[in-house]
Amino acid sequence: MILLAGFLDVIFDAVTLAGLAGAAGGIAFAFAVLLPLRGPLPSSALRDAAAGVALGAATVAGFQGARLLLAPWSLADEQGAWPLGPFLETGFAHAGLLHAGLAVAVAGAALRLRRRPGSRRGWTALALVAAALVASRAWLVHAVSRPDDRALLMTITDLHQLAAAVWVGGLAHLLALRLRGRRDPARASAWPAVLARFSRLAFAAVALVVATGLALAWRYVGGVAALVGTAYGAMVLTKVALLGMALVLAAQNRRAVQRWRRAGDRAAADLRIPFLVEAEAGAAIALLLAAAALTAQPPAVDVTDQRATLAEVAGVLAPKVPRLVPPPHGPMVAASPSSVDPYAQPGPLDRWQSDFNHNVAGIVVLLAAVAAFADRWSRLRVARHWPLLFLLLAAFLLLLAEPNGWPFGPEGFFEVLTSPSVLQHRAATLLVVALAVLEWRVRAGRLAGTRWRFAFPVLCGVGGALLLTHSHSVLASRWAYLVEVSHNAIGVLAVAAALGAWLELRLPPREGRIPAAVWTASMGLVGLVLLFYRE
Ligand code: HEM
């Protein structure tokens, strides 16, 4: 259970962070955008924001509560008895209960504020309770267990999380305002002014996120060898890459706002920016997942004997002859450790099988990327059937991704689903089937022009998110890290493909070329990472 509990804890932590963003970001959005624009904007905008804050805080309470249950559940003894007494004496339990309790208080105060949404005093009182909620999170991060500079690191981590919440939560509230504005002319007409105010808030929040993030990275990573040689360092780099994607999109928002300010030209603000903000929010959600996965790893400074060298990391991604012949099945299964053994280290035959699986999957993904490219930029009509190649990949994953398990291995289908990597492989298979069938019906069938056309970018995004929380072992071992290097790279590329495909669908057709190039190229790169994968 310990592996599954670890995987679920990262997911629950990420949802808790998203809830915190909805709450703290919503309050900042009210002060920086909505209250100053009370004239042009109807009071219903403030009421909606208060509802969003309540929803965010309730999410924190719920998922923080779920995290508190995970720990004693994963430590249950053979009889299934949970060590609740000893657990409730731990600092983590106290801090978690306080955090969940304060979240309930914020949710209650926000619901009450919905009755008088225009009250600045009401929002100030809510902000004070929310400040306590954000502060209480400082007892749930690495800093609380550091021997040196504990208070300083707790403060920096808390400022980092607050700035992240203001930016990500602000994006969510901005999109909600836009969504509700489609039927409300007052909101629609105030949109450029809303964007201009939010742009200032977001700029300050991102500046603070980066400054505090670099300070944390300095203390918890400390050097290039640790940055490229540990899972913690690699997750920091993953966050920087995702932040880079978000900032490319955010820069366009700023330009549109400046054009409106200078010449009153609101065309870009109305026709382009809402969709860029959607994509920016997508990148921000992936960032929160990466942040939760980051803090589930031991800080890089503490991982000294299991670091990979730069050459080893480069070797993982470097071109090499793919392994397209599987190992002998019998001896491989006989030598293979159980899928649910959290401390298992794979043998040479296991690694050979895993290389074969990833390399063959790489060929299929690469072919699909080339065909998708041809479908977009050539007159080759047959190329529009490229999603069907993913059905081939799904069949391959179902039959061979778990060689120890059903259908050809000795382990039962359900018996090993408590292993996160088995669970994620099976989920990935379902995801690939859904992606193949839906996208094919959009490109070659009757679903073109329907909402189903958004399934492809969303499924890519979910796949990328799954990979960013992927962990192969509870041990901070060099082997496990080198495996994660490829999975992180594929996770980031899948997020880039999701954003590109989303923007190609949402932006005016003449602006779809660059997004289309981004997603087809990202898919091709995923194929190459898989093709050259080696454990
Ligand atoms: C230059 C970019 C960034 C760097 C170097 C960076 C670095 C870090 C580090 C080292 C930590 C871990 C602290 C610990 O171990 O306790 C951390 C935590 C965190 N980061 Fe960042 N970060 C960056 C950008 C971002 C962005 C853009 C976001 C948000 C969208 C973000 C959200 C978070 C959150 C929410 C946490 C706390 C996670 C938790 O407690 O579970 N970071 N960051």
Side-chain angles (χ1 to χ4, degrees):
M1 289 304 173
I2 201 161
L3 268 182
L4 185 59
F7 168 62
L8 291 176
D9 189 59
V10 171
I11 303 283
F12 291 174
D13 187 28
V15 180
T16 310
L17 289 169
L20 194 67
I27 296 167
F29 189 75
F31 275 102
V33 178
L34 300 178
L35 286 166
L37 289 174
R38 242 175 316 181
L41 276 175
S43 64
S44 59
L46 280 161
R47 192 176 304 116
D48 290 353
V53 170
L55 179 65
T59 306
V60 173
F63 280 85
Q64 182 56 49
R67 287 188 75 197
L68 286 173
L69 294 176
L70 278 179
W73 170 64
S74 66
L75 298 169
D77 62 17
E78 280 67 38
Q79 283 72 47
W82 294 21
L84 270 180
F87 171 69
L88 287 174
E89 282 161 24
T90 63
F92 176 77
H94 298 163
L97 287 168
L98 175 67
H99 195 56
L102 285 165
V104 173
V106 170
L111 287 177
R112 267 195 308 283
L113 187 55
R114 289 193 73 235
R115 284 191 288 244
R116 290 180 316 109
S119 153
R120 185 174 276 278
R121 188 180 297 179
W123 280 100
T124 307
L126 179 61
L128 291 176
V129 192
L133 171 66
V134 174
S136 68
R137 208 181 143 94
W139 277 264
L140 291 167
V141 295
H142 281 131
V144 79
S145 57
R146 303 307 295 176
D148 314 315
D149 299 330
R150 204 161 145 250
L152 175 68
L153 286 169
M154 287 170 75
T155 310
I156 299 175
T157 312
D158 224 39
L159 281 176
H160 186 66
Q161 296 181 102
L162 174 63
V166 167
W167 175 47
V168 181
L171 279 171
H173 281 265
L174 183 69
L175 282 176
L177 184 92
R178 173 72 188 181
L179 216 61
R180 300 271 282 168
R182 283 185 306 181
R183 287 185 295 281
D184 178 342
R187 291 183 199 214
S189 78
W191 175 246
V194 167
L195 265 183
R197 282 196 157 272
F198 173 73
S199 181
R200 266 204 299 267
L201 175 71
F203 188 81
V206 171
L208 183 60
V209 156
V210 172
T212 50
L214 292 175
L216 290 170
W218 179 255
R219 282 306 298 266
Y220 288 134
V221 183
V224 176
L227 191 65
V228 296
T230 63
Y232 190 95
M235 204 40 89
V236 169
L237 286 174
T238 300
K239 285 177 70 181
V240 173
L242 293 169
L243 179 63
M245 289 184 212
L247 293 183
V248 168
L249 300 167
Q252 319 225 10
N253 304 355
R254 268 186 92 67
R255 264 206 296 279
V257 166
Q258 282 155 355
R259 208 175 298 151
W260 172 72
R261 277 218 180 97
R262 260 200 316 270
D265 166 10
R266 58 179 291 162
D270 287 330
L271 302 175
R272 299 180 69 238
I273 298 307
F275 313 125
L276 293 166
V277 171
E278 289 166 358
E280 193 185 334
I285 292 167
L287 261 160
L288 288 185
L289 261 166
L294 171 68
T295 40
Q297 300 281 350
V301 281
D302 301 341
V303 182
T304 47
D305 61 344
Q306 285 289 328
R307 286 185 184 171
T309 63
L310 183 57
E312 283 172 320
V313 173
V316 169
L317 301 169
K320 48 186 85 67
V321 178
R323 301 184 101 169
L324 302 177
V325 179
H329 186 70
M332 191 275 297
V333 170
S336 195
S338 155
S339 305
V340 288
D341 176 354
Y343 305 102
Q345 296 279 312
L349 291 178
D350 288 305
R351 295 184 194 200
W352 178 355
Q353 178 74 46
S354 181
D355 294 348
F356 168 75
N357 291 351
H358 287 85
N359 297 168
V360 171
I363 293 178
V364 180
V365 175
L366 207 50
L367 282 176
V370 172
F373 191 86
D375 177 35
R376 178 71 174 73
W377 273 286
S378 83
R379 294 181 194 291
L380 202 63
R381 273 186 61 68
V382 68
R384 69 188 206 284
H385 297 293
W386 64 262
L388 292 180
L389 281 165
F390 281 106
L391 276 187
L392 206 63
L393 177 62
F396 178 79
L397 289 176
L398 182 68
L399 299 174
L400 287 172
E402 287 309 322
N404 255 353
W406 183 93
F408 300 125
E411 293 176 335
F413 184 91
F414 296 103
E415 149 199 350
V416 290
L417 283 183
T418 55
S419 152
S421 80
V422 176
L423 192 65
Q424 284 168 321
H425 283 149
R426 296 298 189 201
T429 308
L430 277 181
L431 204 118
V432 170
V433 172
L435 190 150
V437 174
L438 290 169
E439 188 60 9
W440 179 63
R441 298 202 61 206
V442 166
R443 290 190 179 268
R446 291 199 201 86
L447 293 184
T450 69
R451 284 191 178 180
W452 288 107
R453 68 190 193 281
F454 295 111
F456 176 65
V458 170
L459 291 172
C460 281
V462 172
L466 262 181
L467 280 162
L468 293 178
T469 56
H470 199 110
S471 177
H472 273 73
S473 164
V474 286
L475 304 172
S477 74
R478 205 173 68 246
W479 161 77
Y481 166 53
L482 289 173
V483 168
E484 265 147 44
V485 168
S486 311
H487 288 90
N488 274 4
I490 297 171
V492 171
L493 288 166
V495 172
L499 301 182
W502 182 269
L503 286 172
E504 187 197 12
L505 289 170
R506 295 292 269 166
L507 287 171
R510 69 181 179 284
E511 297 189 36
R513 293 171 66 81
I514 295 176
V518 167
W519 76 257
T520 46
S522 301
M523 199 151 86
L525 287 172
V526 168
L528 286 177
V529 173
L530 287 168
L531 188 66
F532 300 140
Y533 180 95
R534 186 64 53 84
E535 284 191 19

